[in-house]
């Protein structure tokens, strides 16, 4: 094996991951994600095994989405912590989607079910089911066990469990998706003995009403437990990274408890790459701004414009075109790095003035390349963002000079630069004092000749987990052919890049540089419609209408797809003897629309009602679908 391959398999043994319950349970599934699953009958036994070193992690259900803490395991964890001894940490959280079914031995008629067996937290989230069926809840320690038990006992009994557990026990599914919590997922904690590992969750154990209030104010999520003598108010809390600084100020006074289950909140995690401490520091996403232009941390940008600034008129025309399309910054080269020394080298600083005037006219910041340290100072006087080209990605003197210029710097990845080398290059810029570094993947050199470069989306995604800096993709230089640019742009956008850089020209055949890869302004417009970008202040009504048309086409296509799915579900309902109309389900559909349309609640219900009525019609419902 190649020892330098940090992403490859290592000889670290698979952790032993204990869980409470039986194979086939949701806990077993969560444990399999944390290591080699080992079953324990009770939470207390599981935690004793953890303290004794018989398992490496204990995987405990801690909270249900929307339904608060799972008290039994958290109570057991509280007992283990109160007993003292070995310090523990919450290392990670694993969310397992939970789909619960009601299942009974074959031959049990649905309406005859009088007992419903399951685990207490599961029974609690099926209150509506229990009420509707007028059944008695029977507590078991595990959902898979409930399924087996019901199969053994027979009679008018049913279990709430996963579909897999039901089938495994030979039961028949009477009803699907029976939880009141929708969508339903359980968040499991992997609890371990205290180590040096970097946790992904910051959890703490506390008691005292004052601390509960302070944690709540600090934005912590509180998982409250039932009071105990001497600790009437207490439980666990998780603190998001953004709130850690606030929570760090909290200390327990007498009679209170505050135990961090892992490193203290002021602990500074080490950078993800030792040699690039600034670029790979573990921190919230960096948002790079230049005036109204902002990219990173959820803000997405498109930098567009010609490869080279050719004349004042050309750049003014294209500035208007890209602003109208919805671009958020204007690009244009004034110093052009060309493979051939006899090719057009750019119009230099004179063209920078033309670029600046064009940007100002449409209200867009300008991005332009610097090729030599001596160009940095004069270019930085006018340019909003300095670009370092692929050929200069590892030109360290240039990186240092650009980093000290007081402007954000966009660093393009070299054709032969690894992700680590690229991040190390960014480190030079950051070390020189620049905080706003943008990273742009523009195609690397591979054996492939049908494209100019190979857009390395895998490398971009790998960089995403290493750096807080905004990541952009340049599909134009990667493709070298305009017909491939929209596809690559969509792929990069879909992969979650913070921004794109796209070359645009209105007369590509006579462009002085990179004509074959330039999109026409109208092509850019269509692409940015798809991304939901809109023109700035120089936009036009017609342009916005085109965006509305594109949305309408999508809605129409989605409505058609929805009707198709309604017909499909009707077939399944008929085949399994279920009624066509399900009012609980209709309420869920309405709630979803109300959630996304928010304050426009009346409009939301109008839209939902129309879709539901169309759906019922498609399903062959013969009643009055509009009546509720
Ligand atoms: C450019 O953006 O115009 C350019 C020259 O790009 P790269 O450095 O990626 O080739
Ligand atoms: Mn170019």
């Amino acid at each position: 094996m190649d020892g330098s391959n940090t992403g490859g398999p290592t000889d670290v043994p698979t952790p032993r991951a204990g869980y409470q319950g039986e194979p086939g349970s949701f806990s077993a599934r969560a444990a399999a994600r944390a290591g080699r699953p080992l079953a324990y009958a009770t939470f207390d036994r599981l935690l004793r095994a953890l303290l004794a070193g018989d398992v490496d992690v204990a995987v405990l259900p801690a909270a249900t989405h929307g339904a608060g803490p799972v008290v039994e395991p958290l109570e057991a964890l509280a007992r283990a912590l109160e007993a003292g001894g070995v310090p523990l940490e919450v290392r990670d959280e694993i969310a397992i989607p939970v789909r619960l079914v009601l299942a009974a031995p074959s031959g049990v008629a649905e309406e005859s079910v009088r007992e419903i067996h399951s685990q207490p937290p599961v029974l609690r989230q099926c209150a509506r089911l229990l009420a509707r069926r007028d059944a008695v809840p029977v507590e078991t320690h595990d959902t898979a066990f409930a399924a087996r038990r019901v199969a053994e006992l027979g009679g008018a009994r049913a279990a709430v469990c996963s579909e897999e557990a039901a089938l495994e026990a030979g039961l028949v599914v009477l009803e699907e998706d029976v939880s009141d919590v929708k969508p339903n997922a359980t968040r499991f904690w992997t609890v371990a003995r205290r180590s040096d590992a970097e946790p992904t969750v910051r959890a703490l154990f506390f008691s005292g009403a004052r601390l509960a209030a302070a944690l709540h104010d600090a934005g912590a999520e509180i998982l409250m437990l039932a009071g105990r003598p001497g600790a009437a108010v207490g439980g666990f809390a998780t603190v998001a990274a953004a709130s850690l600084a606030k929570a760090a100020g909290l200390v327990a006074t007498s009679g209170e408890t505050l135990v961090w289950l892992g490193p203290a909140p002021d602990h500074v995690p080490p950078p993800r790459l030792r040699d690039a401490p600034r670029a790979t520091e573990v921190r919230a996403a960096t948002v790079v701004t230049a005036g109204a232009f902002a990219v990173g941390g959820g803000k997405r940008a498109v930098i567009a414009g010609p490869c080279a600034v050719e004349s004042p008129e050309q750049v003014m025309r294209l500035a208007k075109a890209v602003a109208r399309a919805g671009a958020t910054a204007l690009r244009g080269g004034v110093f052009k790095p060309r493979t051939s020394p006899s090719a057009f080298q750019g119009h230099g600083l004179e063209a920078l003035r033309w670029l600046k005037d064009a940007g100002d006219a449409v209200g867009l910041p300008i991005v332009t390349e610097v090729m030599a340290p001596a160009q940095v100072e004069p270019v930085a006087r006018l340019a909003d963002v300095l670009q370092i080209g692929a050929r200069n990605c590892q030109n360290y003197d240039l990186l240092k000079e650009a980093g000290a210029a007081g402007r954000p710097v966009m660093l393009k990845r070299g054709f032969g630069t690894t992700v680590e080398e690229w991040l190390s290059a960014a480190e030079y810029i950051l070390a020189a004092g620049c905080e706003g570094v943008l990273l742009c993947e523009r195609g690397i050199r591979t054996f492939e000749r049908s494209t100019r470069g190979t857009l390395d989306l895998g490398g971009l995604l790998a960089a995403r987990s290493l750096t807080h800096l905004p990541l952009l993709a340049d599909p134009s230089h990667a493709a070298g052919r305009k017909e491939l640019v929209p596809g690559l742009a969509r792929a990069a956008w879909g992969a979650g890049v913070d921004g794109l850089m796209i070359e645009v020209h209105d007369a590509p055949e006579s462009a002085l540089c990179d004509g074959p890869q330039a999109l026409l302004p109208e092509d850019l417009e269509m692409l940015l419609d798809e991304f939901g970008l809109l023109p700035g202040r120089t936009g036009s009504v017609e342009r916005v209408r085109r965006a509305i048309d594109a949305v309408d086409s999508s809605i129409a296509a989605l409505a058609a797809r929805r009707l198709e799915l309604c017909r499909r579900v009707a077939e399944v309902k008929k085949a399994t003897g279920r009624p066509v109309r399900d009012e609980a389900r209709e309420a869920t559909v309405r709630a979803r629309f109300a959630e996304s349309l928010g304050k426009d609640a009346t409009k939301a219900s109008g839209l939902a009602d129309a879709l539901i009525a169309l759906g019922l019609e498609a399903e062959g419902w013969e009643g009055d679908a509009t009546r509720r």
Side-chain angles (χ1 to χ4, degrees), residues 321-339:
V322 304
R324 174 185 152 102
T328 56
L330 174 67
R331 65 150 284 146
V334 300
F335 296 110
K336 292 305 307 173
R338 302 304 297 278
T339 306

Side-chain angles (χ1 to χ4, degrees), residues 47-84:
L47 287 165
R48 274 203 298 279
L50 176 68
L51 296 175
D54 294 339
V55 294
D56 301 300
V57 292
V59 179
L60 303 177
T64 306
H65 277 311
V70 185
V71 289
E72 292 79 1
L74 293 180
E75 294 282 7
L77 181 58
R79 282 191 290 278
L81 292 166
E82 278 162 349

Side-chain angles (χ1 to χ4, degrees), residues 317-380:
R317 271 197 329 271
L318 289 170
K320 288 184 177 151
V322 304
R324 174 185 152 102
T328 56
L330 174 67
R331 65 150 284 146
V334 300
F335 296 110
K336 292 305 307 173
R338 302 304 297 278
T339 306
S340 161
S342 54
F344 171 62
Q345 306 283 310
H347 288 306
L349 290 178
E350 190 187 6
L352 180 61
R353 187 73 252 174
W354 308 336
L355 178 66
K356 180 69 183 160
D357 289 344
D360 284 348
V362 296
L364 291 183
I366 58 168
V367 183
T368 198
E369 175 167 354
V370 285
M371 285 169 53
Q375 292 165 359
V376 169
E377 195 271 331
V379 171

Side-chain angles (χ1 to χ4, degrees), residues 306-308 331-333 335-338 369 371 387-393 410 412-415 440-443 452 474 476-478 501 503 513-514 517:
C307 178
R331 65 150 284 146
F335 296 110
K336 292 305 307 173
R338 302 304 297 278
E369 175 167 354
M371 285 169 53
Q387 171 176 329
I388 308 273
R391 293 156 192 80
N392 281 310
C393 179
M410 182 169 81
K412 290 191 129 186
R413 178 178 177 188
F415 338 108
C440 181
E441 154 65 35
R442 45 80 70 211
R452 183 173 172 179
D474 168 352
S476 306
H477 290 90
M501 167 171 263
E503 285 190 348
C513 184
D514 285 350
Q517 71 194 33

